[in-house]
Amino acid sequence: MTKLIKKMSVPLTSLILLLNMSSAGMAETTVSAEVGFIFNTLLFLICGFLVMFMAAGFAMLESGMVTSKSVSVICAKNIGLFSIAGIMFWLFGYNLAYGIPEGGYIGKFIPWSDSSAVDTGYSDGSDWYFQMVFCATTVSIVSGTLAERIKLWPFFLFAAILSGIIYPIVMGWQWGGGWLASMGFSDFAGSTLVHSTGGSAALAGAILLGPRLGRFTKSGSPAPLKPFAASSIPLVTLGVFVLWLGWFGFNGGSQLAMGTADDAIAVSTIFMNTFLAGAGGVMAAGIVTRLGFGKTDVVQMLNGCIGGLVAITAEPLMPSPLAAILIGAVGGVIVVYGTKLLFSLKIDDVVGAIPAHLFAGIWGTLIVPATNSGTSFGTQLIGVLSINIFVFVIAYIIWSIMKATVGIRLSKEGETKGTDVTETGVIAYAIRD
Amino acid sequence: MTKLIKKMSVPLTSLILLLNMSSAGMAETTVSAEVGFIFNTLLFLICGFLVMFMAAGFAMLESGMVTSKSVSVICAKNIGLFSIAGIMFWLFGYNLAYGIPEGGYIGKFIPWSDSSAVDTGYSDGSDWYFQMVFCATTVSIVSGTLAERIKLWPFFLFAAILSGIIYPIVMGWQWGGGWLASMGFSDFAGSTLVHSTGGSAALAGAILLGPRLGRFTKSGSPAPLKPFAASSIPLVTLGVFVLWLGWFGFNGGSQLAMGTADDAIAVSTIFMNTFLAGAGGVMAAGIVTRLGFGKTDVVQMLNGCIGGLVAITAEPLMPSPLAAILIGAVGGVIVVYGTKLLFSLKIDDVVGAIPAHLFAGIWGTLIVPATNSGTSFGTQLIGVLSINIFVFVIAYIIWSIMKATVGIRLSKEGETKGTDVTETGVIAYAIRD
Amino acid sequence: MTKLIKKMSVPLTSLILLLNMSSAGMAETTVSAEVGFIFNTLLFLICGFLVMFMAAGFAMLESGMVTSKSVSVICAKNIGLFSIAGIMFWLFGYNLAYGIPEGGYIGKFIPWSDSSAVDTGYSDGSDWYFQMVFCATTVSIVSGTLAERIKLWPFFLFAAILSGIIYPIVMGWQWGGGWLASMGFSDFAGSTLVHSTGGSAALAGAILLGPRLGRFTKSGSPAPLKPFAASSIPLVTLGVFVLWLGWFGFNGGSQLAMGTADDAIAVSTIFMNTFLAGAGGVMAAGIVTRLGFGKTDVVQMLNGCIGGLVAITAEPLMPSPLAAILIGAVGGVIVVYGTKLLFSLKIDDVVGAIPAHLFAGIWGTLIVPATNSGTSFGTQLIGVLSINIFVFVIAYIIWSIMKATVGIRLSKEGETKGTDVTETGVIAYAIRD
């Protein structure tokens, strides 16, 4: 069917419908509350399963980026943290986040209940599902940074605290209607709430845990150090494509409604900008590494995509397409130089999650006022600082307590053998027969 | 957009809509038959493509679990069985399943036709698509168990019989309105109809085929025997995440309707419970292997996820979230000990499909009365026994006939070289240049 | 819930609704313009993200098919071309394609603007997203054919020209309402417009670039030559499953509407036929290679799936299920013999994209009149010839200019080392520790 014919035929149909509608006195109420309810719920479910699949994206990205002796454990961490985050978010998180008083700092705990009805606008279950996968995403960000030397079960314990308590508190401040929301802070889909929260928690862990053995002996070399070479670039690539796919749900679903034409138009604009920001991040990182370092670093292109996507997440609706490309491109550049910065600071972020999620998240949140006139730089800065400092400090304290008690780092012997032998007893690749 | 603002604004909009609606005398009929038709059809199509993607999940799970000399053939089996199942289900299966008389045992064959109209509630094509991917899932379950020693084309022949005749008969008993439905058996999305059917057919094949050469010489060792090590754990992980994703469609779409707020709420609850049961399965298997055997066995966590998902499939709507976690957790434990049981019986199930699909499916179906008061343990037991015995016996007979005629097992020489060399002539991994 | 109960209950509900509807005088206008707008937009967004994910499918298919020393660059090409195509399609392509006068040959450039309103039938942003991923698909087709010896950035330059100018011109001819649409040419979802366009551009490049070093010294051998063995068959398999998934969006979304029961029925039929054609392609290729060459070539089964899908893309709505299977099966056979043909012509198509996309696309477009009586063979032939000749000639000229100026082929030394060392400096697989 040609597009032209379609373009012509639709208005005609609409006209007929509108005429009939108006004869029934309904021209202004063309979506009933129940139909709107179904559309809104459907948006949460569809966008929710896209975000859920991001868990697979993180698993593949991280599996590909670690060395081949730590891949099974990364798989265990990713399937485990997703499960833990979901259970904790049901037990505590969802209720804590929404139990916050207006303008408040912390909610009271209200047990889960489902009070869905047509006039609540969407089903509670669909909202829980959508919010839960955001919570799980926050935890996913942490797992890659700390790979190859952290103990498995202490990591799971941290995942439970992050998903059950830390993230829900921060979420309540803004999306539960707490003090940041009251102040006018704006973070549409979570550049700061989700991505920087994950990044700050990862940074605290990386500092306390220290780098992998031998990681920084030959300091400053930008070439891929062979002992730390990524185990599979195609899996990293797959992971990034899956994340990009999931991000349409992440940002699109954060419109929170699909029951009017205006909402449908908004979701469409968000899809477009989300795509363009990712594209900007890819190409910026590709150009910067090609011109700056001689080779087109595919890992930086892939991580640059994440950086671009994180950057647009704070405001994917208001930017023009060109602005979206630029916001994403800066996100991509931040990833490249952020990675170098961490390297020079001897902080070992195995998958580059801190530059992509924390640094690009800060950028994305601070640039919101450039395209959304209802926000101010000062308020955005307060939001960025308060959330990141809060999360970093709390995470640092928790990691410290765990370090002093159960221990968080594998023994030297365990790390040398590889986490797969030590922790799961399953070798990741048995390619040779 | 903050959640709070949204939460406040929706009821307002709804109120306005409701007021307008009631002024037009429509308060109780807010979804027209045609809009309902579109929503129902959309549910089948969306959930259908999610289930379709499970074929990729099985392909990755099995590719990763077999040894590296049998991977190409697993790929051929998975793409081939999906094609065969779909074609057979169009030719025979769909029509056989729905041609059954009420309360009957076997349907008469009615050729495919599409009689969709607004008053049929959804389009026949979308229903065919949704039911077809269920049929294909049943066959997918069989392929992994029999890997590494079965001949390719005899497997394809069995796939054709299972998808064209065996599964449609069983499907007709319940979802076509046959004798099990009349009796009050309850299997919401197919713990028994799909998963146990696949598992029973696999078990019959595994017994007749015998284990891989050398699999059980060092009996009882729970450590991964090097010659039988999984070729790629990240692919197994990817497969499980894809299956988990697909399962939202599998269970959610089995609500069969999305055209009312009540249906949308039900689908949301199903998504929530499906997630939680998978999470319960993962963590139960992780904890059991860590405490019981010293290492956190990632393969069991991944298979435990499947076990949890299979368990909730018989009744994903009625359980509370806590019940869903527990039902899934027991499913995960069943996978761990079911795997050990098969090992001790010297039945070689290469990917652990029998514990995950057959054993966890029995559990899930029998526990339905605990959360759904409209069912009884006795009826559930009759359903479980009748379907599993029927499928096992028929499959055993068919495998036996095939064994006696075309042969089902590769020659010793062929198996030693590896199925990839013998059957497809394509080596799966050429990682070294 | 049993299907039967559902089947019985739906008409009842519908009846009640219809009665109420008619009492409100609305029996014939059951979908309001705004609800239709939301459904149409939702169709574009859902089908759009499925097609977007095809980019991951191509990335995996190509990563798996190239040798292990060219995988990182394939990943860089795929993430890069997708980004470039999207940015170019926003800058130029979308506007060029739709700026064409009725019956015209080339459009005038109109900058992007969003004029969505209820009476436009769907949101412009959703249409842009959906059309953009088609454009990106066209470019993806080119990247695999030219793998392992083309320079990265000249490829990116070609990608920009193809997505910004060549494809949009061809798109305008038909989907923008240009001369081919006026003439009555029919290409529902782009067997020719997308797939053959990509294939023709790839063919021109392959001829000018020449084969990989050493590819044709042992001419004519159909066995997999070890130095050119595919790096990972499971990744190829994953890629094909992802493409198959995406194709439901590709063809289904090309109905361009979901706001009536008739459209919903049409989309369902398209899903069904798209599945069956892929299945036909898989099995035809499997049977032909088994009977013709002794082994069941899994790579040909996988590529046969693509061939079947490309073939049905020109007309996925009108064929009966049987016709869909047959159209797909011929597509699969064309892939097998087309691959042999290119081999005998010493044209080095690394992934078999030319047989699958160009040859099967020609077949699919020419067979349209067999099932769609509103088309004629002569007009279809004119469409096929004009588009393929136009694209081939323009692409040949552009590749030639690039060859004479910036150069398109790696140095012998660079190719011998492998593109991964030369271009990205990142080794794809570091499986051994």
Side-chain angles (χ1 to χ4, degrees):
Chain A
M1 193 176 298
T2 75
K3 173 78 190 199
L4 186 78
I5 293 164
K6 197 73 221 165
K7 280 242 176 192
M8 280 157 50
S9 68
V10 168
L12 277 172
T13 320
S14 307
L15 196 64
I16 295 162
L17 286 168
L18 277 168
L19 285 174
N20 272 292
M21 281 302 130
S22 53
S23 75
M26 279 190 57
E28 281 142 286
T29 60
T30 53
V31 185
S32 75
E34 186 163 7
V35 169
F37 180 96
I38 301 170
F39 275 127
N40 294 340
T41 299
L42 199 56
L43 181 76
F44 279 138
L45 295 180
I46 293 171
C47 291
F49 74 63
L50 289 175
V51 181
M52 175 267 157
F53 200 41
M54 290 174 75
F58 282 109
M60 292 303 102
L61 170 63
E62 297 174 17
S63 290
M65 285 291 280
V66 299
T67 70
S68 62
K69 60 184 184 177
S70 303
V71 176
S72 284
V73 172
I74 275 291
C75 293
K77 277 162 84 174
N78 275 281
I79 195 96
L81 75 85
F82 188 55
S83 303
I84 290 167
I87 293 172
M88 290 303 291
F89 196 70
W90 163 70
L91 254 177
F92 298 108
Y94 185 78
N95 319 292
L96 198 59
Y98 286 140
I100 200 168
E102 198 181 328
Y105 292 87
I106 190 156
K108 56 170 181 269
F109 175 76
I110 307 161
W112 164 261
S113 73
D114 189 330
S115 59
S116 303
V118 170
D119 64 3
T120 60
Y122 48 78
S123 88
D124 284 357
S126 70
D127 182 55
W128 181 86
Y129 182 71
F130 186 67
Q131 300 298 340
M132 177 274 291
V133 288
F134 273 61
C135 176
T137 300
T138 308
V139 186
S140 292
I141 293 164
V142 182
S143 70
T145 297
L146 311 178
E148 312 218 38
R149 75 272 199 203
I150 197 169
K151 285 184 186 173
L152 183 60
W153 286 89
F155 172 79
F156 281 158
L157 178 59
F158 184 81
I161 296 167
L162 179 58
S163 56
I165 301 170
I166 303 175
Y167 172 75
I169 289 174
V170 167
M171 179 189 160
W173 289 357
Q174 177 70 8
W175 293 335
W179 71 280
L180 278 174
S182 294
M183 215 182 63
F185 179 59
S186 181
D187 188 3
F188 195 92
S191 282
T192 293
L193 267 83
V194 173
H195 295 280
S196 292
T197 291
S200 287
L203 179 62
I207 291 170
L208 272 165
L209 201 56
R212 287 167 288 176
L213 294 173
R215 178 59 174 147
F216 291 114
T217 45
K218 298 168 193 166
S219 70
S221 162
L225 299 170
K226 215 162 179 189
F228 297 101
S231 72
S232 173
I233 298 300
L235 291 187
V236 179
T237 306
L238 176 64
V240 170
F241 272 117
V242 169
L243 289 171
W244 205 345
L245 170 69
W247 232 289
F248 296 112
F250 201 93
N251 289 355
S254 293
Q255 176 67 15
L256 306 180
M258 185 82 183
T260 65
D262 284 347
D263 281 321
I265 293 167
V267 175
S268 304
T269 302
I270 293 168
F271 269 54
M272 192 174 173
N273 281 341
T274 299
F275 169 75
L276 289 171
V282 168
M283 292 317 296
I287 291 167
V288 163
T289 57
R290 178 68 183 82
L291 297 182
F293 317 121
K295 307 270 180 179
T296 313
D297 189 337
V298 61
V299 172
Q300 294 296 345
M301 289 176 84
L302 293 165
N303 234 355
C305 185
I306 309 293
L309 291 165
V310 168
I312 203 68
T313 295
E315 183 50 76
L317 179 58
M318 301 302 290
S320 68
L322 181 60
I325 295 171
L326 295 177
I327 290 167
V330 173
V333 173
I334 286 171
V335 166
V336 174
Y337 289 99
T339 304
K340 287 179 75 73
L341 174 68
L342 287 181
F343 205 88
S344 69
L345 295 171
K346 305 205 173 188
I347 294 171
D348 189 10
D349 177 359
V350 179
V351 303
I354 295 168
H357 296 276
L358 175 55
F359 297 168
I362 293 171
W363 154 248
T365 310
L366 294 181
I367 199 66
V368 170
T371 62
N372 183 340
S373 60
T375 61
S376 80
F377 180 78
T379 315
Q380 295 302 99
L381 189 62
I382 291 171
V384 164
L385 289 176
S386 60
I387 289 178
N388 283 312
I389 292 172
F390 172 77
V391 173
F392 181 85
V393 169
I394 296 283
Y396 197 91
I397 292 168
I398 292 167
W399 286 122
S400 299
I401 293 170
M402 284 169 53
K403 189 175 178 176
T405 54
V406 293
I408 55 175
R409 182 150 185 158
L410 284 177
S411 67
K412 275 192 188 183
E413 199 195 322
E415 187 179 340
T416 308
K417 276 190 199 164
T419 57
D420 288 356
V421 172
T422 314
E423 292 280 47
T424 56
V426 178
I427 293 158
Y429 299 103
I431 302 299
R432 287 154 300 179
D433 52 355
Chain B
M1 193 176 296
T2 75
K3 173 79 191 202
L4 186 78
I5 293 165
K6 196 73 222 166
K7 279 243 175 191
M8 280 157 49
S9 68
V10 168
L12 277 172
T13 319
S14 307
L15 195 65
I16 294 163
L17 286 167
L18 278 168
L19 285 172
N20 271 292
M21 282 301 132
S22 53
S23 73
M26 279 192 58
E28 282 142 285
T29 59
T30 54
V31 185
S32 76
E34 185 163 8
V35 169
F37 180 96
I38 300 170
F39 275 127
N40 294 340
T41 299
L42 199 55
L43 181 76
F44 279 139
L45 295 180
I46 293 172
C47 291
F49 74 63
L50 289 175
V51 182
M52 175 268 157
F53 199 42
M54 291 174 74
F58 282 109
M60 292 304 102
L61 170 64
E62 296 173 17
S63 289
M65 286 291 280
V66 300
T67 70
S68 63
K69 60 185 185 177
S70 303
V71 177
S72 284
V73 171
I74 275 291
C75 293
K77 277 162 84 174
N78 274 282
I79 195 96
L81 76 84
F82 187 55
S83 303
I84 290 167
I87 293 171
M88 290 303 290
F89 196 68
W90 163 70
L91 254 177
F92 297 108
Y94 185 80
N95 318 292
L96 198 59
Y98 286 140
I100 200 166
E102 198 182 329
Y105 292 87
I106 190 156
K108 58 170 180 270
F109 175 75
I110 308 161
W112 163 261
S113 74
D114 189 330
S115 60
S116 304
V118 169
D119 63 4
T120 59
Y122 48 78
S123 89
D124 284 358
S126 70
D127 182 55
W128 181 86
Y129 181 70
F130 186 67
Q131 299 297 342
M132 177 274 289
V133 288
F134 273 60
C135 176
T137 300
T138 308
V139 187
S140 293
I141 293 164
V142 183
S143 70
T145 297
L146 311 178
E148 311 217 37
R149 73 272 201 205
I150 198 170
K151 285 184 187 175
L152 183 60
W153 285 88
F155 171 78
F156 281 158
L157 178 58
F158 184 81
I161 296 168
L162 180 58
S163 56
I165 300 170
I166 303 175
Y167 172 75
I169 289 174
V170 167
M171 179 188 160
W173 290 357
Q174 177 70 7
W175 293 335
W179 72 278
L180 278 174
S182 294
M183 215 181 63
F185 179 59
S186 181
D187 188 5
F188 195 91
S191 282
T192 292
L193 268 83
V194 173
H195 295 281
S196 291
T197 291
S200 287
L203 179 62
I207 291 170
L208 272 165
L209 201 55
R212 287 166 290 176
L213 294 173
R215 179 57 175 148
F216 291 114
T217 44
K218 298 169 192 166
S219 70
S221 163
L225 299 170
K226 212 156 182 194
F228 297 101
S231 72
S232 173
I233 299 299
L235 291 187
V236 178
T237 306
L238 176 64
V240 170
F241 272 116
V242 169
L243 289 171
W244 205 345
L245 170 69
W247 232 290
F248 297 112
F250 201 92
N251 289 355
S254 293
Q255 176 67 13
L256 305 180
M258 184 83 183
T260 65
D262 284 347
D263 282 320
I265 293 167
V267 174
S268 304
T269 302
I270 293 168
F271 269 55
M272 194 174 171
N273 282 340
T274 299
F275 168 75
L276 289 171
V282 168
M283 292 317 297
I287 292 167
V288 163
T289 57
R290 178 68 183 81
L291 297 182
F293 316 123
K295 307 270 180 179
T296 313
D297 189 338
V298 61
V299 171
Q300 295 296 344
M301 290 175 84
L302 294 165
N303 235 354
C305 186
I306 309 293
L309 291 165
V310 169
I312 203 68
T313 294
E315 183 51 77
L317 179 59
M318 301 303 290
S320 68
L322 180 61
I325 294 171
L326 294 176
I327 290 167
V330 174
V333 173
I334 286 172
V335 166
V336 174
Y337 288 99
T339 304
K340 287 180 74 73
L341 175 69
L342 288 181
F343 205 89
S344 69
L345 294 172
K346 304 205 175 189
I347 293 171
D348 189 11
D349 177 0
V350 179
V351 303
I354 295 168
H357 297 275
L358 175 56
F359 297 168
I362 293 171
W363 154 248
T365 309
L366 294 181
I367 199 65
V368 170
T371 62
N372 183 341
S373 60
T375 61
S376 80
F377 181 79
T379 315
Q380 294 303 99
L381 190 63
I382 292 171
V384 164
L385 289 176
S386 59
I387 289 179
N388 283 312
I389 293 171
F390 172 77
V391 173
F392 181 86
V393 170
I394 297 282
Y396 197 91
I397 293 168
I398 292 167
W399 287 122
S400 298
I401 295 170
M402 283 169 55
K403 189 174 179 176
T405 53
V406 293
I408 55 175
R409 181 148 185 157
L410 283 178
S411 66
K412 276 193 185 182
E413 199 195 323
E415 188 180 339
T416 308
K417 277 190 198 163
T419 57
D420 289 356
V421 171
T422 314
E423 293 281 48
T424 57
V426 177
I427 292 158
Y429 299 102
I431 302 297
R432 287 155 299 178
D433 53 353
Chain C
M1 196 173 298
T2 74
K3 174 79 190 199
L4 186 77
I5 292 164
K6 196 74 221 165
K7 280 244 175 190
M8 280 157 50
S9 68
V10 168
L12 277 173
T13 319
S14 306
L15 195 64
I16 293 162
L17 286 168
L18 279 168
L19 286 173
N20 270 293
M21 282 300 131
S22 54
S23 75
M26 280 191 57
E28 281 143 286
T29 59
T30 54
V31 185
S32 75
E34 186 164 6
V35 169
F37 180 97
I38 300 171
F39 275 128
N40 294 340
T41 299
L42 200 56
L43 181 76
F44 279 138
L45 295 180
I46 293 171
C47 291
F49 74 63
L50 289 175
V51 181
M52 175 269 157
F53 200 41
M54 291 174 74
F58 282 109
M60 292 303 101
L61 169 64
E62 296 174 17
S63 289
M65 286 292 280
V66 299
T67 70
S68 63
K69 61 184 184 175
S70 302
V71 176
S72 284
V73 172
I74 275 291
C75 293
K77 277 162 82 174
N78 275 282
I79 196 96
L81 75 84
F82 187 56
S83 303
I84 290 167
I87 293 172
M88 290 303 291
F89 196 69
W90 163 69
L91 254 179
F92 297 108
Y94 185 78
N95 318 292
L96 198 60
Y98 286 141
I100 201 167
E102 199 182 328
Y105 291 88
I106 189 156
K108 56 170 179 271
F109 175 76
I110 307 161
W112 163 262
S113 74
D114 189 329
S115 59
S116 303
V118 170
D119 64 3
T120 60
Y122 48 78
S123 88
D124 284 356
S126 70
D127 181 55
W128 181 86
Y129 182 71
F130 186 67
Q131 300 297 340
M132 178 274 291
V133 287
F134 273 60
C135 176
T137 300
T138 308
V139 186
S140 292
I141 293 164
V142 182
S143 71
T145 298
L146 311 178
E148 310 217 39
R149 74 271 200 207
I150 198 170
K151 285 184 185 174
L152 183 60
W153 285 89
F155 171 78
F156 281 158
L157 178 60
F158 184 82
I161 297 168
L162 179 59
S163 55
I165 301 171
I166 302 176
Y167 172 74
I169 290 174
V170 167
M171 179 189 160
W173 288 358
Q174 177 71 6
W175 293 335
W179 71 279
L180 278 173
S182 294
M183 217 181 63
F185 179 60
S186 181
D187 188 5
F188 194 92
S191 282
T192 293
L193 268 83
V194 172
H195 295 281
S196 291
T197 291
S200 287
L203 179 62
I207 291 170
L208 272 164
L209 201 56
R212 287 167 289 176
L213 293 174
R215 178 57 174 149
F216 291 115
T217 44
K218 297 169 191 164
S219 68
S221 162
L225 299 169
K226 212 157 182 193
F228 297 100
S231 72
S232 173
I233 298 300
L235 290 188
V236 179
T237 306
L238 175 64
V240 170
F241 272 117
V242 169
L243 289 170
W244 205 344
L245 170 69
W247 232 290
F248 296 112
F250 201 93
N251 290 355
S254 293
Q255 176 67 13
L256 306 179
M258 185 83 183
T260 65
D262 284 347
D263 282 320
I265 293 167
V267 174
S268 304
T269 302
I270 292 168
F271 268 55
M272 193 174 173
N273 281 340
T274 299
F275 169 75
L276 289 171
V282 168
M283 292 316 297
I287 292 167
V288 162
T289 57
R290 177 68 183 83
L291 296 182
F293 317 122
K295 307 269 180 179
T296 313
D297 188 338
V298 61
V299 171
Q300 294 296 345
M301 290 176 84
L302 294 164
N303 234 353
C305 185
I306 309 292
L309 291 165
V310 168
I312 202 68
T313 295
E315 183 51 78
L317 180 59
M318 302 302 290
S320 68
L322 181 60
I325 295 170
L326 295 176
I327 290 167
V330 174
V333 173
I334 285 171
V335 165
V336 174
Y337 289 100
T339 304
K340 288 180 73 74
L341 175 68
L342 287 182
F343 205 88
S344 70
L345 293 171
K346 306 206 173 186
I347 294 170
D348 189 10
D349 178 0
V350 178
V351 302
I354 295 169
H357 296 276
L358 175 56
F359 298 168
I362 293 171
W363 154 250
T365 310
L366 294 181
I367 199 65
V368 170
T371 61
N372 182 340
S373 60
T375 61
S376 80
F377 181 78
T379 315
Q380 294 302 99
L381 190 62
I382 291 171
V384 164
L385 290 176
S386 58
I387 289 179
N388 283 312
I389 292 172
F390 172 77
V391 173
F392 181 85
V393 169
I394 296 282
Y396 197 91
I397 292 168
I398 292 166
W399 286 122
S400 299
I401 293 170
M402 283 170 53
K403 188 175 179 176
T405 53
V406 293
I408 54 175
R409 182 148 186 158
L410 285 176
S411 67
K412 277 193 184 181
E413 199 195 323
E415 188 180 340
T416 308
K417 277 189 198 163
T419 57
D420 288 356
V421 172
T422 313
E423 293 279 48
T424 56
V426 177
I427 293 157
Y429 299 102
I431 302 298
R432 286 153 301 179
D433 52 354

